[in-house]
Amino acid sequence: MEAAQHTSSSRRNSNIGDRLFDICNILFMLCLVVVTLYPFINTLAVALNDANDAVRGGIYLFPRMWTLDNFKYVFSEAAIVHAFFISVLRTVIGTVVTVFCSAMVAYTMSRQEYVLRKFVTISFIFTMYFSGGLIPGYLLVRDLGMLGSFWVYIIPGMIGVFNLIIIRSFIEGLPDGIMEAARIDGANDFSMFMRIVLPLVVPVLATVALFSAVGQWNSWFDVFLYNSSNENLSTLQYELMKILQNTNTQTSQTVADVFASSANAGANTVTPTSIRSTMTIVVSLPIIMVYPFLQKYFVKGMTVGGVKG
């Protein structure tokens, strides 16, 4: 009887402990969600709020005076549609080229029979810690004839060493029997890479693709260095950066002017705060919309990569 009572008491205490853990875990995750989502929701609320009214503060989750004037101002300042197209184009092409080229080099570096494997690996890793600098990089791009060219967005970052190491480590974890069986069947290295390695490393390729896509989408400094004089190759981020600079340098309208103009019916005033919030939404929304579609490939890649033999 005592043993049964002790067992029942232990189970009861275990259930209470599990419930407390679940409650604490749920509360922690809710706090994490709030901390993660609140800045974005607050930024969206400011972007959708009237700029004159936003100066007064007190906007948290919902706009106080709904308006689309901030978005109209941003999209009317420059050739935003064309810049958006260039940003999408460089993101898609740059991501595909980076992932494919990094995967090919990673496969080569993962082969034990490659004689220069260690030397090439050290050479790549060396570039992670030491670089020529900004001026030598600019001179190299100039001598290669890529100034004012779209390919200056693609070729210099074609292979990322960090991505290379991640993919190589994943390939080295694949069973050797698969490669040996393919080699016995007469497959060459390119066939093994295309038909065996790529389907099995989809999870890591999806991860690298996400890193590369975010980097390409958010990049604007290379536009400033190499294509600032070519408006046809300007990206969305660079155009929005110029809008922000122009907005910040406008000294004709002070905060007092903003409050005074709010009394005018039909006033269409923008402020640096409203423009910054609007630009954040314009830049962030496309990546946020793409991520759920990429998540499917994470799940599918893990399923394909889990099939052995």
Side-chain angles (χ1 to χ4, degrees), residues 154-177:
I154 310 299
I155 295 178
M158 184 179 297
I159 297 177
V161 180
F162 180 75
N163 300 333
L164 187 65
I165 294 175
I166 293 177
I167 300 175
R168 189 200 66 176
S169 301
F170 197 93
I171 295 175
E172 289 177 345
L174 298 177
D176 294 332

Side-chain angles (χ1 to χ4, degrees), residues 58 72 83 125 162 183 267 273-274 287-289:
K72 293 178 181 179
I125 295 177
F162 180 75
R183 184 77 68 182
T273 301
S274 63
I287 289 294
I288 294 176
M289 295 175 63

Side-chain angles (χ1 to χ4, degrees), residues 38-89:
Y38 174 75
F40 183 80
I41 296 176
N42 177 257
T43 303
L44 180 61
V46 174
L48 292 174
N49 195 83
D50 181 73
N52 298 331
D53 181 71
V55 176
R56 307 176 190 273
I59 300 174
Y60 301 105
L61 297 178
F62 301 99
R64 193 163 45 226
M65 297 179 60
W66 291 80
T67 183
L68 294 176
D69 290 340
N70 297 324
F71 290 92
K72 293 178 181 179
Y73 175 83
V74 168
F75 283 98
S76 64
E77 276 298 296
I80 298 296
V81 176
H82 182 73
F84 182 85
F85 171 76
I86 296 296
S87 293
V88 172
L89 191 64

Side-chain angles (χ1 to χ4, degrees), residues 263-291:
N264 300 330
N268 185 18
T269 306
V270 294
T271 62
T273 301
S274 63
I275 296 304
R276 278 196 297 268
S277 301
T278 306
M279 288 190 299
T280 302
I281 298 301
V282 171
V283 172
S284 303
L285 195 59
I287 289 294
I288 294 176
M289 295 175 63
V290 167
Y291 183 79

Side-chain angles (χ1 to χ4, degrees), residues 147-208:
L147 288 181
S149 171
F150 174 80
W151 296 106
V152 75
Y153 303 146
I154 310 299
I155 295 178
M158 184 179 297
I159 297 177
V161 180
F162 180 75
N163 300 333
L164 187 65
I165 294 175
I166 293 177
I167 300 175
R168 189 200 66 176
S169 301
F170 197 93
I171 295 175
E172 289 177 345
L174 298 177
D176 294 332
I178 300 178
M179 304 297 181
E180 295 176 359
R183 184 77 68 182
I184 293 174
D185 290 339
N188 55 27
D189 287 318
F190 189 77
S191 298
M192 289 192 297
F193 171 74
M194 295 297 297
R195 298 182 180 181
I196 298 176
V197 174
L198 282 185
L200 293 178
V201 298
V202 170
V204 71
L205 294 184
T207 304
V208 171

Side-chain angles (χ1 to χ4, degrees), residues 128-149:
M128 293 181 64
Y129 300 98
F130 304 97
S131 64
L134 184 62
I135 295 178
Y138 178 85
L139 296 178
L140 177 62
V141 171
R142 184 198 63 182
D143 294 340
L144 291 176
M146 289 191 296
L147 288 181
S149 171

